[in-house]
Amino acid sequence: MDKDEQMPLGNLRVLELGTLLAGPFTGRLLADFGAEVIKVEPPGKADPMRGWGKEKDGTGLWWPVQSRNKKSITLNLREKEGQDVLKELVEEADILIENFRPGTMEKWNLSYEELSEINPGLIMVRTSGFGQTGPYKERAGFGSVGEAMGGLRYVTGYNDRAPTRTGISIGDTLSALFATIGCLVAVNERQISGKGQVVDTALYESVFSVMESLIPDYLLADFVRERMGNILPGVAPSNIYQTKDETYVVIGANADGVFRRLCEAMGREELAEDPEYATHEARGKNMKKLDLLIEEWTKTLDSDELLQLLEKKGVPSGLIYSAKDIVEDPHYQARDMIVNVDHPELGDFPMPGVVPKLSRTPGKVNFPGAEKMGKHNEDIFRDVLNYSERDIEELQKKGII
């Protein structure tokens, strides 16, 4: 995909270094809105993400989603000649994304100080386990470690068993979201100053940033939030409830007005006036008793009947969706949240649509991640750097690309 000035980020060229999740997911978010993202892999050493997820006919099913809309080149950054090529690309770029351990770029003579001399407007987005400074900066850090040290794992699960993960790589995804925000902030600031800067995103800090009132709860109220399963401490009703057909429905009715409507749906209007449940504080104190009352009622109804009644009364509720439920849901379909793109080996390839939705200049998915490493080598080295065919052949012979 060439630069598309009609797309909201179509004026930006991005170099994406690094592997797996956090850095590449940042690149995906920028590419969704038109940035020309050039994914760089070492020749002969593919990003491990190419093999992650389930396989179909020998093709990993995660890579086409993670690397959608990106061009793919190979470049050996461990060699000086490869570093020199990257520096030429930096002259033509707006943003460089990397998620190596701190010090790696410096070891390769690719520090921000060196690169910004080449391109003072360059924005370097750096994602690592613990950030570019501090006593832990040189530690290896995956998303799982960020989730643990950011406080999320401690509060995830049930209090009678060990902490658990959330089911997805949420630490990496959160860091990518914050890195993307930082990147766009820096792009906007560059319009004022004309200068680039470093966006320093740490996995553990990205997780910690969404931990709500965890710290003031502890320091000001001497309260340590513990694992609470499906409930929120002091917030009720907000839980999952079993139905007659043995499924589970999420109901969130903790606001006074919504709780009153839930009571009407239950045919128990008197509960809204009961001192044990009439206020937010009272419902929090009597959470267990209230949840039992609600589940006694939900078990008398099939899930479809229950959800229709709750919808009619304006009570937030929903099934706990599996992938099958998502695919079959008409609302997902109406909002283009599952899109199909043509994969050269697998044909129609379904993947999540673009989020968020812009009314005038929406993002879009043009093609899946490149099935072959270096698919766009000639395009980038010839068209961006004006290399001749002979130049490209020489670099290939030397193992630089």
Side-chain angles (χ1 to χ4, degrees):
M1 180 177 64
D2 296 324
K3 285 191 175 184
D4 184 351
E5 300 294 339
Q6 302 303 311
M7 294 285 284
L9 300 181
N11 62 321
L12 299 177
R13 176 173 284 142
V14 181
L15 303 176
E16 181 196 295
L17 316 183
T19 60
L20 298 175
L21 290 173
F25 191 74
T26 303
R28 169 191 150 180
L29 295 175
L30 297 174
D32 277 354
F33 290 96
E36 183 189 29
V37 177
I38 301 169
K39 167 74 176 180
V40 180
E41 296 174 88
K45 189 177 180 182
D47 186 328
M49 182 60 67
R50 286 183 177 273
W52 281 31
K54 294 293 183 181
E55 290 189 352
K56 173 73 173 178
D57 298 335
T59 298
L61 299 183
W62 199 335
W63 174 264
V65 179
Q66 180 80 320
S67 294
R68 67 193 193 188
N69 291 336
K70 301 177 187 179
K71 292 181 176 178
S72 170
I73 69 170
T74 51
L75 189 57
N76 187 348
L77 299 179
R78 296 177 183 274
E79 298 292 335
K80 184 180 184 303
E81 197 165 351
Q83 296 159 11
D84 290 341
V85 173
L86 184 77
K87 288 175 180 177
E88 290 187 59
L89 286 170
V90 163
E91 288 188 63
E92 308 298 329
D94 297 280
I95 298 158
L96 185 147
I97 298 169
E98 67 95 2
N99 65 327
F100 301 116
R101 193 184 300 192
T104 301
M105 294 292 285
E106 288 76 7
K107 181 176 65 176
W108 291 342
N109 303 306
L110 298 172
S111 69
Y112 182 73
E113 290 71 26
E114 291 173 274
L115 298 182
S116 63
E117 286 185 11
I118 299 169
N119 180 353
L122 180 71
I123 294 163
M124 181 183 274
V125 181
R126 314 194 71 173
T127 300
S128 60
F130 300 96
Q132 301 299 314
T133 61
Y136 299 165
K137 69 178 183 179
E138 295 182 1
R139 289 187 184 181
F142 277 4
S144 55
V145 178
E147 293 162 26
M149 295 183 68
L152 180 61
R153 293 276 180 118
Y154 187 85
V155 299
T156 303
Y158 290 86
N159 60 6
D160 62 345
R161 35 198 122 152
T164 185
R165 72 190 300 267
T166 61
I168 59 170
S169 303
I170 190 68
D172 291 287
T173 305
L174 284 172
S175 66
L177 289 168
F178 280 109
T180 302
I181 292 169
C183 178
L184 296 178
V185 169
V187 168
N188 184 71
E189 193 280 334
R190 187 176 63 181
Q191 294 179 335
I192 302 168
S193 69
K195 299 177 181 179
Q197 58 184 304
V198 173
V199 177
D200 179 2
T201 307
L203 289 164
Y204 86 99
E205 290 171 354
S206 300
V207 173
F208 176 65
S209 185
V210 300
M211 292 305 295
E212 301 171 347
S213 62
L214 187 79
I215 295 307
D217 284 351
Y218 171 60
L219 292 177
L220 302 182
D222 197 27
F223 174 78
V224 175
R225 191 180 296 193
E226 301 286 347
R227 292 181 290 286
M228 301 293 287
N230 289 305
I231 66 171
L232 289 170
V235 178
S238 181
N239 207 333
I240 64 170
Y241 303 91
Q242 192 172 9
T243 62
K244 185 178 180 180
D245 52 353
E246 297 186 342
T247 63
Y248 286 90
V249 168
V250 172
I251 298 176
N254 44 289
D256 290 347
V258 181
F259 179 66
R260 186 175 295 277
R261 296 197 296 272
L262 173 62
C263 293
E264 293 173 3
M266 295 171 63
R268 298 288 304 274
E269 290 87 345
E270 76 280 1
L271 292 177
E273 307 299 333
D274 189 318
E276 288 191 323
Y277 312 119
T279 67
H280 175 80
E281 292 77 11
R283 289 192 296 275
K285 291 178 180 177
N286 296 287
M287 178 186 296
K288 290 183 179 180
K289 186 176 179 181
L290 177 58
D291 280 342
L292 287 173
L293 284 173
I294 295 170
E295 192 164 71
E296 284 178 8
W297 169 66
T298 61
K299 283 183 175 179
T300 67
L301 301 169
D302 286 338
S303 56
D304 286 346
E305 184 183 3
L306 173 63
L307 288 169
Q308 289 175 15
L309 179 56
L310 292 172
E311 180 182 351
K312 183 178 179 181
K313 291 293 184 179
V315 178
S317 55
L319 288 173
I320 299 173
Y321 273 11
S322 67
K324 179 177 183 293
D325 298 317
I326 290 172
V327 168
E328 295 175 353
D329 188 282
H331 194 78
Y332 271 85
Q333 297 167 13
R335 287 180 58 82
D336 295 323
M337 277 314 302
I338 299 176
V339 298
N340 283 281
V341 293
D342 183 52
H343 190 283
E345 296 172 351
L346 300 177
D348 274 352
F349 194 101
M351 62 178 67
V354 176
V355 178
K357 301 191 179 302
L358 275 61
S359 62
R360 187 170 51 82
T361 58
K364 59 184 177 181
V365 182
N366 292 291
F367 54 85
E371 73 282 5
K372 295 180 180 178
M373 291 176 62
K375 180 177 181 178
H376 301 97
N377 274 356
E378 288 198 17
D379 294 344
I380 298 302
F381 298 128
R382 182 187 63 228
D383 298 341
V384 178
L385 299 185
N386 297 315
Y387 285 6
S388 67
E389 293 295 330
R390 184 174 180 179
D391 292 332
I392 294 172
E393 288 176 6
E394 284 297 315
L395 290 171
Q396 289 174 332
K397 287 179 182 178
K398 294 178 181 177
I400 300 302
I401 65 173

